[in-house]
Amino acid sequence: MRISTAVGVVTKNMGILGIATTNSGVEFSDAYFRKGEDALTAAKAGGISFGVSAVGGVLGKTVEKSSSGYFNPAWKKYEEKAGHLPYGI
């Protein structure tokens, strides 16, 4: 739980490839250092994590963009105003 929370904080404003890279690095580190697996097995785990994260990010973004007009038909009427949120976008 602590690792995934830290990854979520670090990858807040990253793109799909940045998130996938971070996830694969964390998976490799977890497999190699904490679980004690050999380097090749840990590298495989990191590679699988990168692939799954990238595919999931692309699919999620595709669903988000294609369904935003369906679930929120007024999305074109919104106007972004700087400073109205306590965090940057």
Side-chain angles (χ1 to χ4, degrees):
M1 180 76 171
R2 288 179 281 180
I3 291 175
S4 57
T5 302
V7 170
V9 169
V10 168
T11 61
K12 178 181 173 195
N13 292 322
M14 289 185 175
I16 293 171
L17 290 178
I19 293 171
T21 302
T22 304
N23 286 345
S24 67
V26 168
E27 182 64 33
F28 172 81
S29 300
D30 183 53
Y32 187 72
F33 295 113
R34 193 172 68 90
K35 295 178 183 173
E37 296 178 2
D38 62 294
L40 184 60
T41 304
K44 286 179 186 176
I48 291 170
S49 176
F50 180 86
V52 170
S53 295
V55 169
V58 169
L59 288 176
K61 189 54 76 175
T62 302
V63 169
E64 176 188 358
K65 287 187 182 271
S66 65
S67 65
S68 67
Y70 177 74
F71 291 111
N72 189 6
W75 71 274
K76 290 183 180 179
K77 298 178 185 176
Y78 293 137
E79 183 178 320
E80 179 65 34
K81 296 180 182 176
H84 73 285
L85 295 175
Y87 53 86
I89 295 179

